[in-house]
């Protein structure tokens, strides 16, 4: 059954009392012919521009999300993603990424080294293998076999930052260095897709994998309900299956921002009301409503819609 937005909101209010029963089997009326792109942080702006250009050519939400994520991946000034990403404690740039499309298909790579575009490798895993996730050396070998070029991803600037860090080995607070790019897209057919890519927590233990390549944690897409993505302290996003939770809360009738807040509430509660780290979520509901929330300080997302691409600030919940 299709729902008008007003009906949806009416049902939502009731839905909070007995959410899943009311919402199971209900289809939210899709937003058609009003494509939008929602990305994390300031590097979301150029990512959105690239994604928008792809949508303009009539291509899919998945094509657009991948094209968007590739922009910060290739930019050495984005020191938290791809080429130029800050390394782990041993000086290795190790990358995590995933994609999920409107059919519910997903691909992911984790702990990948020396390949500039992990998001595209993740897409290849999704489309050209029977698997969802490849890691480390296996992921690198797969990428090389698919024609991806091998390259050194540690720029002089990131190497210098790492060498400076090594002298004191000061523990980084996660929010100092976390800036994953997550790109959520709704195309003009109303279909949803997403991509997420990062070099993770700077100076992490060698072998550490964050939330960004974990389907349901860093990213989740359900083409009936909506999609969500995360940025921030991956360990805590994994422990609460964050992006999946945001989408499930939208299924239960939560507005997109309320869904992001409720998912963060679980983290805040676990940390006695005062976590010392940042997590932010972005979400698109199938009817084109968007939402976002972050734990503390501020977070910025970039939204491209109606040909306008703008950065918006979100205030922390605590
Ligand atoms: C991670 N969530 O590896 C990523 C890092 C991040 O904004 O989001 N930065 O934990």
């Amino acid at each position: 059954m299709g729902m008008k937005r007003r009906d949806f909101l009416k049902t939502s209010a009731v839905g909070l009392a007995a959410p899943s029963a009311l919402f199971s089997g209900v289809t939210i009326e899709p937003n058609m012919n009003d494509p939008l792109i929602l990305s994390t942080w300031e590097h979301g702006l150029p990512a959105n521009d690239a994604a928008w250009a792809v949508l303009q050519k009539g291509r899919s939400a998945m094509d657009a999300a991948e094209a968007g994520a590739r922009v910060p991946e290739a930019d050495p000034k984005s020191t938290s993603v791809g080429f130029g990403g800050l390394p782990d404690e041993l000086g290795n740039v190790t990358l995590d990424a995933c994609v999920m499309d409107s059919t519910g298909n997903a691909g992911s790579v984790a702990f990948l080294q020396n390949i500039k575009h992990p998001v595209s490798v993740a897409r290849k895993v999704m489309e050209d293998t029977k698997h969802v996730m490849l890691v480390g050396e296996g992921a690198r070998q797969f990428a090389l076999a698919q024609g991806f070029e091998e390259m050194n991803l540690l720029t002089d600037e990131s190497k210098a930052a790492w060498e400076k860090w090594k002298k004191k080995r000061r523990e980084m607070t996660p929010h100092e260095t976390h800036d994953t790019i997550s790109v959520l897209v709704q195309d003009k057919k109303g279909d949803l897709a997403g991509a997420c890519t990062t070099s993770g927590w700077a100076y992490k233990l060698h072998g550490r994998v964050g939330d960004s390549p974990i389907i349901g944690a860093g990213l989740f897409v359900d083409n009936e309900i909506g999609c969500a993505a995360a940025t921030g302290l991956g360990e805590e996003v994994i422990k609460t299956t964050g992006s999946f939770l945001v989408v499930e809360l939208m299924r239960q009738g939560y507005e997109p921002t309320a869904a992001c807040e409720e998912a963060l509430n679980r983290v805040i509660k676990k940390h006695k009301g005062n976590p010392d780290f940042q997590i932010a979520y972005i979400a698109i509901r199938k009817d084109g409503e968007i939402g976002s929330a972050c734990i503390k300080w501020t977070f910025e997302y970039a939204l491209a819609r109606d040909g306008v691409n703008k950065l918006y600030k979100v205030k922390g919940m605590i």
Side-chain angles (χ1 to χ4, degrees):
M1 148 175 97
M3 286 176 86
K4 290 264 174 302
R5 171 147 165 76
R6 213 179 315 120
D7 293 338
F8 178 84
L9 293 177
K10 242 191 266 160
T11 319
S12 308
V14 186
L16 294 178
S20 44
L22 271 175
F23 269 75
S24 59
V26 171
T27 312
I28 302 166
E29 192 150 297
N31 158 41
M32 306 285 278
N33 297 313
D34 174 25
L36 62 128
I37 305 151
L38 181 61
S39 300
T40 51
W41 304 112
E42 201 176 344
H43 53 195
L45 285 172
N48 285 2
D49 282 339
W52 190 263
V54 169
L55 286 183
Q56 290 307 101
K57 291 186 193 136
R59 284 163 57 195
S60 68
M62 186 68 263
D63 287 342
E66 180 190 357
R70 285 173 61 96
V71 175
E73 275 185 349
D75 181 357
K77 285 193 240 64
S78 271
T79 56
S80 50
V81 184
F83 177 52
L86 290 168
D88 66 11
E89 64 170 359
L90 304 180
N92 306 294
V93 181
T94 74
L95 305 175
D96 294 340
C98 77
V99 296
M100 194 161 181
D101 72 9
S102 60
T103 69
N105 215 356
S108 147
V109 288
F111 189 48
L112 173 65
Q113 295 178 59
N114 298 312
I115 304 286
K116 188 170 163 187
H117 287 299
V119 73
S120 297
V121 185
R123 188 162 180 193
K124 284 276 180 206
V125 173
M126 174 172 84
E127 290 178 348
D128 294 359
T129 79
K130 293 181 188 146
H131 310 305
V132 169
M133 190 165 193
L134 293 178
V135 305
E137 182 53 17
R140 193 184 68 90
Q141 291 294 346
F142 171 76
L144 294 177
Q146 292 285 330
F148 289 84
E149 259 173 53
E150 186 147 41
M151 68 179 280
N152 173 25
L153 301 175
L154 188 65
T155 56
D156 290 345
E157 289 75 13
S158 288
K159 190 167 178 218
W162 168 65
E163 272 164 354
K164 195 165 159 211
W165 168 83
K166 252 198 328 183
K167 285 191 193 126
K168 292 202 175 132
R169 300 187 80 83
R170 178 176 70 85
E171 172 122 20
M172 303 293 287
T173 47
H175 60 271
E176 275 180 79
T177 58
H178 277 213
D179 270 333
T180 292
I181 178 86
S182 293
V183 185
L184 300 176
V185 181
Q186 185 166 40
D187 63 26
K188 68 175 195 293
K189 288 197 242 154
D191 285 333
L192 299 165
C196 181
T197 177
T198 188
S199 52
W201 190 341
Y203 320 130
K204 59 197 172 189
L205 287 182
H206 185 61
R208 181 263 189 188
V209 169
D211 61 313
S212 303
I214 311 288
I215 300 298
L219 173 72
F220 196 70
V221 178
D222 179 330
N223 206 40
E224 282 183 6
I225 302 295
C227 51
T231 172
L233 182 57
E235 281 74 0
E236 296 300 321
V237 176
I238 294 173
K239 286 188 246 175
T240 47
T241 326
S243 294
F244 178 74
L245 179 57
V246 171
V247 173
E248 284 308 298
L249 289 165
M250 290 196 285
R251 185 193 305 281
Q252 292 173 20
Y254 282 77
E255 291 287 310
T257 292
C260 296
E261 287 173 350
E262 178 52 25
L264 293 174
N265 268 332
R266 310 243 174 130
V267 179
I268 294 170
K269 227 168 122 187
K270 254 177 70 186
H271 292 268
K272 304 197 173 20
N274 194 20
D276 65 347
F277 53 82
Q278 179 68 301
I279 296 176
Y281 289 116
I282 52 172
I284 303 178
R285 192 169 62 189
K286 184 73 175 176
D287 63 357
E289 284 291 305
I290 68 138
S292 177
C294 68
I295 292 183
K296 62 201 302 183
W297 305 295
T298 56
F299 162 67
E300 285 173 318
Y301 65 78
L303 174 66
R305 189 168 210 166
D306 292 330
V308 181
N309 186 16
K310 248 180 85 174
L311 205 59
Y312 296 83
K313 216 173 216 138
V314 179
K315 236 179 123 267
M317 291 169 65
I318 60 169

